[in-house]
Amino acid sequence: MALVSIKRILISESVDPCCKKILQDNGIQVTEKQNMTKDELIAAIKDYDGLVVRSATKVTAEIINAAVNLKIIGRAGTGVDNVDVDAATKRGIIVMNTPSGNTISAAELTCILLMSLSRCLPQAAMSMKAGNWDRKKFMGTELYGKILGIVGLGRIGKEVATRMQSFGMKTIGYDPITPPKISATWGVEQMSLEQLWPQCDYITVHTPLMPSTTGLLNDATFAKCKRGVKVVNCARGGIIDEAALLRALESGQCGGAGLDVFVEEPPKDYVLVNHANVISCPHLGASTKEAQARCGQDIALQIVDMMQGKALVGAVNAQVLASTFSPDSHQWIKLGEALGMVLRTCSASKQPYGQVQITTIGESLKNSVAFLGSAVMVGLLKDSPKNSPNLVNVLALAQEAGITIIRNHAGGDQKLSKSSCMVEISASGSRYKATGSVQGEVPVLLELNGSIFRQPIPLTGNLLFFKAVTTPQVLSSVASELATAGVGMESFSASVDHNGDQWCCMGLSSLLGDLGVLKPLVNEATQLFV
């Protein structure tokens, strides 16, 4: 099952040619247009289903809101700080990056800067080119036996650690996500930042840029470090406070810095770049032929695999979708959405919703409650006046609407089905409940508001639900009204218990033009197309 249909993609930056070829080979029209202004991009983006960028294109909320057909934003590289992910999520647009495409290249550049800082190699080379022979001026230090602090122990941090250990460096680190037991297997002892700062001879940062990491190295943290500590940033400009770094360099508290990234790129103020103890590069972390080919290939293949329903890799705002790429999950997603639609139709006069509780039943659905819950909410919010709900944005839409979502998993209920999904909603003081399952790859309704159906109802086509005492006379009268309206009855299912009012369902050839004709015959009636 393909989650989205991608027909046209715009590549707004220089990406390896293999990216375009892979996309075109899979039937996608590709337009390459570099150096677009913001206004040019806003004007053009409405014509595309997908956008592929690197780091120069700033995909702002203004651009995203103009992208009326956009379904995916692909970043050919690590990180997505040049994309407004929140704005994309609200619009139901998948944002993905290539998490491992430039890992080796970025790690190698980090190691090169660490080595260059230890021996002043760029400065010595420039001195030689100027005709000088300053052996004493460029006295260096060995890396052997020194302590390297690695802040951020993801893919790149791990690769830096293993390489610098070969120089005899002791590697310590900090990461709020990677378990210490894991990092210990590749030779990194984890500790708090407060413990890390005073121990390090060298510090390298490999974290995303976010509020908690902006200015991570600042005046206060530099003061806690060893005098003469050397720092490297090949991650994102702003993780190291540039003004604080300059002060630390001038005071000698920082003995040198290797910078590949800056807050402003290119920087307008070159005071930091021109400092004698700074080695700087114009954001070259991913600038290798291998990394560019890998990132271009990865982003193209990820888009194609997602489009073909094979897998979802690198998505940063649609984690719930990762478990939906299996043949078994497709029909359950359809079931969840259909259950939501049934309950939305039944509760139309009672909205807005207050609480939605989704319970999966059966061992096979133990890990499915997340995507089933999202699928149910898509069905419930189908007529949202703002954004069209999908599995990417529906939780954000539900939060905006003030809906509380509760997810549970329970053991099997043989009374209903070995595996089933039960949804209960509250709306304006009333409660509605529906239970469904998948039988023979067909989503079916098993129960509606306490009425358990004798025959499971296939949730497909035109469906008429009505509540009444199901006597032969009532059924005959309903069938007569349908015939009078030119609507054929294709299927019928009544509930097991005939005592009192019960819900019944009819499959129709088309929806009834006026439900009012059934009011004299039944207590409640609603219809929908699934």
Side-chain angles (χ1 to χ4, degrees), residues 141-271:
T141 59
E142 291 182 349
L143 293 172
Y144 181 82
K146 302 302 189 297
I147 297 176
L148 171 64
I150 305 172
V151 181
L153 297 170
R155 294 178 178 86
I156 298 173
K158 175 185 176 182
E159 296 297 336
V160 169
T162 57
R163 283 157 176 74
M164 298 316 297
Q165 287 161 13
S166 67
F167 283 84
M169 296 192 84
K170 177 183 178 182
T171 50
I172 62 176
Y174 168 79
D175 192 295
I177 298 174
T178 303
K181 288 184 179 180
I182 298 298
S183 61
T185 63
W186 21 277
V188 178
E189 178 189 355
Q190 278 206 53
M191 58 189 67
S192 70
L193 289 173
E194 292 302 307
Q195 294 171 308
L196 181 142
W197 300 131
Q199 297 188 49
C200 299
D201 299 297
Y202 295 82
I203 296 172
T204 179
V205 295
H206 299 284
T207 72
L209 182 65
M210 57 183 73
S212 61
T213 62
T214 299
L216 192 63
L217 273 162
N218 51 42
D219 288 315
T221 47
F222 272 119
K224 297 174 183 177
C225 294
K226 286 183 179 179
R227 183 168 179 80
V229 66
K230 296 179 175 65
V231 298
V232 170
N233 185 5
C234 288
R236 287 290 181 267
I239 298 173
I240 299 177
D241 184 318
E242 292 178 355
L245 173 60
L246 184 59
R247 288 189 287 270
L249 287 164
E250 291 175 342
S251 70
Q253 181 64 18
C254 177
L259 303 176
D260 185 47
V261 290
F262 299 85
V263 172
E264 188 176 31
E265 296 184 352
K268 292 180 180 177
D269 187 346
Y270 268 66
V271 175

Side-chain angles (χ1 to χ4, degrees), residues 89-100:
T89 301
K90 288 179 181 179
R91 289 294 305 275
I93 300 168
I94 296 172
V95 179
M96 66 167 58
N97 63 358
T98 54
S100 59

Side-chain angles (χ1 to χ4, degrees), residues 2 53 94 101 104 132 166 225 235 253 283 294 335 348 377 393 408 428 430 465-466 477 480 501 519:
V53 302
I94 296 172
I104 299 301
N132 301 315
S166 67
C225 294
Q253 181 64 18
H283 203 147
R294 199 179 296 121
L335 170 71
M377 295 309 302
N393 67 358
N408 298 307
S428 301
S430 299
F465 291 94
F466 61 88
S477 298
S480 176
D501 286 353
K519 283 187 177 181

Side-chain angles (χ1 to χ4, degrees), residues 6 48 62 137 159 198 204 270 278 349 390 431 467:
I6 306 292
Y48 296 93
E62 186 179 3
K137 182 177 180 181
E159 296 297 336
T204 179
Y270 268 66
V278 172
S349 63
N390 61 22
R431 302 190 74 83
K467 188 176 184 181

Side-chain angles (χ1 to χ4, degrees), residues 273-317:
V273 172
N274 291 331
H275 194 282
N277 292 334
V278 172
I279 301 169
S280 54
C281 308
H283 203 147
L284 299 179
S287 294
T288 64
K289 293 178 180 179
E290 294 85 355
Q292 288 310 299
R294 199 179 296 121
C295 286
Q297 174 181 281
D298 285 356
I299 197 65
L301 290 175
Q302 288 172 204
I303 291 173
V304 170
D305 284 348
M306 180 207 65
M307 184 183 70
Q308 295 178 351
K310 294 179 180 178
L312 183 65
V313 177
V316 300
N317 67 336

